[in-house]
Amino acid sequence: MLTIKKAVSTLQDEEIKSYLTLILAGIGELKEQYGQLERPLEEHIAKPVAGLIEQYSSLMSLPAQRAFWDPAPDSTHIHILCGDSFGGSVKQVLKEFGWTGAHKLIILRENYAVGPLGRLDTPVGRKLRSDWFRRHINEYFTVSDECEREYTELLDNLEQIPEQAKIILWTGGNACEQTGLRLIAHLLGNRPSEIIVCDACAICEEQYNRPDALINYVHSGEIPTDKLREALLRINEGRRLSAADIMQLSREWQQIAEQSGVLRIWQDDAVLEVPADYYDNYLLEKLDSLQPPPGDDGFLKSARLVGEALGYCEQYVGDAYFEHRIRELIYSGVLEIKGVPTAMRFYSIRRKQG
């Protein structure tokens, strides 16, 4: 696997596309050849090949799966939300309610709490954001125009929203969803549709929290499906945005987009830019509080530190950003490393000795 990763890391974006196209074409031929046999696939070919064909089928079906949830002319409700995790939960509830014919989704897949947002409405700004993620986030494998394609798809989906459809903007008490809310308000502009803002986290906390059992959801993606049902049943109780509300949110988006930083938090009902190293001391405090495994010379798996930081952080940041800052602390000599920083599970860290 390490040899494969090393080889892939030497490829340019266009080379990756070319190789992937050829590989998928070959797997498609395998599927066509063996799919016509009567006995189960595993009886004719090795399980790894069967697994490849299964992955191929899954990948090929993704466009159709996404298209099913796109706005349609007869849609009555369009849900706009942040994150595939939350989106998947909403889809499941909509299916349970039998609402999939009239309720459609637009999913913002980026974490707007991190990364530059300046001039996001221009190709230059989107390239700057995409480049930053490729330089700093280990698991960001997107090709150079991924951000561009996502943004174009978002604009296309917004354009497809029929006038009669209610627009439900889902948000929560975190910088990612609140920034996404302001971006969408900016892009919607003077659209005549009724626009409702719903906070799924607040609804579920109000409905289910008790003095002896309190859960504060940092991000809507944390809400279990059984509790999310209540939030969808109460969408008509959400805050209806006036034209003045939309203008205010749009102005707030423009202020955010004028900033040059790469990290944002939600504080005092506002999206605030903070320094990139805002969580460094927090990470070091968590590291000092954790007990390294015996016999490992004081080194602790970076994944354990990231998990601890995520579990106690009152803001939604994401594991990728915490891991990015751990690597920055390594580069600056604050931490020592054992292993290879290609992914969290492959290396351990400790305070710099001596």
Side-chain angles (χ1 to χ4, degrees):
M1 181 59 71
L2 289 176
T3 303
I4 293 172
K5 286 187 175 182
K6 184 176 181 181
V8 170
S9 68
T10 66
L11 298 175
Q12 300 297 316
D13 291 341
E14 290 303 319
E15 292 176 313
I16 293 174
K17 291 180 183 178
S18 177
Y19 274 107
L20 182 59
T21 300
L22 291 172
I23 291 169
L24 289 174
I27 297 175
E29 291 181 7
L30 278 175
K31 181 182 179 183
E32 183 177 349
Q33 177 182 353
Y34 289 102
Q36 298 175 354
L37 297 177
E38 295 180 358
R39 286 181 294 168
L41 187 63
E42 288 82 276
E43 294 183 21
H44 302 283
I45 55 178
K47 285 187 177 180
V49 179
L52 283 175
I53 293 178
E54 183 179 348
Q55 293 295 325
Y56 169 87
S57 299
S58 175
L59 180 61
M60 292 299 101
S61 67
L62 281 178
Q65 292 175 18
R66 283 197 178 185
F68 175 80
W69 292 101
D70 288 347
D74 57 349
S75 300
T76 62
H77 296 74
I78 304 298
H79 302 261
I80 305 179
L81 50 87
C82 289
D84 282 309
S85 177
F86 184 41
S89 298
V90 171
K91 288 177 182 179
Q92 183 174 336
V93 175
L94 292 176
K95 289 177 181 177
E96 291 177 6
F97 288 168
W99 292 357
T100 56
H103 290 243
K104 301 299 180 181
L105 271 66
I106 297 176
I107 300 176
L108 309 180
R109 293 183 164 83
E110 295 195 55
N111 181 358
Y112 293 111
V114 303
L117 291 174
R119 296 188 293 167
L120 195 66
D121 58 345
T122 69
V124 172
R126 294 190 287 275
K127 185 176 187 305
L128 287 172
R129 179 171 172 80
S130 187
D131 288 347
W132 183 88
F133 273 92
R134 277 201 308 282
R135 287 195 304 270
H136 298 287
I137 303 301
N138 256 352
E139 297 187 4
Y140 191 79
F141 294 122
T142 186
V143 294
S144 59
D145 60 349
E146 178 69 17
C147 184
E148 186 69 33
R149 290 205 306 270
E150 288 285 343
Y151 193 82
T152 300
E153 180 181 332
L154 171 60
L155 294 181
D156 289 343
N157 282 333
L158 293 177
E159 188 64 30
Q160 293 174 36
I161 298 176
E163 290 188 7
Q164 81 277 0
K166 290 183 180 180
I167 299 175
I168 294 50
L169 304 181
W170 291 96
T171 191
N174 58 80
C176 173
E177 292 179 281
Q178 291 290 341
T179 303
L181 168 66
R182 284 150 178 79
L183 169 61
I184 292 300
H186 175 70
L187 295 176
L188 287 174
N190 298 320
R191 188 176 296 271
S193 307
E194 182 179 9
I195 302 175
I196 303 173
V197 175
C198 291
D199 186 330
C201 298
I203 293 172
C204 292
E205 288 169 6
E206 175 191 337
Q207 179 71 19
Y208 297 105
N209 278 356
R210 305 186 308 273
D212 60 335
L214 294 175
I215 298 179
N216 293 318
Y217 297 106
V218 178
H219 186 272
S220 299
E222 299 177 351
I223 303 173
T225 306
D226 60 334
K227 293 184 178 180
L228 187 59
R229 297 187 188 101
E230 181 66 24
L232 267 79
L233 289 172
R234 293 173 56 180
I235 55 178
N236 287 325
E237 301 175 19
R239 173 192 170 199
R240 283 163 172 77
L241 297 184
S242 65
D245 292 331
I246 295 172
M247 287 183 62
Q248 177 60 31
L249 289 169
S250 177
R251 282 195 293 268
E252 291 175 13
W253 161 256
Q254 292 170 18
Q255 293 169 1
I256 294 170
E258 288 173 358
Q259 299 169 349
S260 58
V262 298
L263 180 62
R264 287 158 286 279
I265 64 172
W266 177 245
Q267 184 173 294
D268 299 328
D269 294 329
V271 177
L272 302 179
E273 180 183 281
V274 294
D277 62 358
Y278 182 81
Y279 286 107
D280 286 10
N281 286 336
Y282 170 73
L283 287 168
L284 292 172
E285 289 171 4
K286 290 299 177 189
L287 176 63
D288 293 340
S289 70
L290 293 172
Q291 184 67 37
D296 211 10
D297 205 18
F299 281 94
L300 182 80
K301 283 288 186 183
S302 62
R304 185 181 173 197
L305 174 56
V306 169
E308 184 79 2
L310 283 174
Y312 289 93
C313 188
E314 295 181 354
Q315 298 280 339
Y316 175 73
V317 182
D319 57 352
Y321 190 81
F322 279 143
E323 201 259 336
H324 154 60
R325 291 311 307 175
I326 289 173
R327 284 185 282 110
E328 290 298 319
L329 289 169
I330 294 169
Y331 301 149
S332 62
V334 176
L335 297 178
E336 291 181 324
I337 182 174
K338 182 172 72 172
V340 183
T342 53
M344 284 183 282
R345 63 186 182 278
F346 292 137
Y347 69 99
S348 301
I349 40 85
R350 70 178 183 187
R351 287 270 196 171
K352 182 80 171 181
Q353 303 292 302

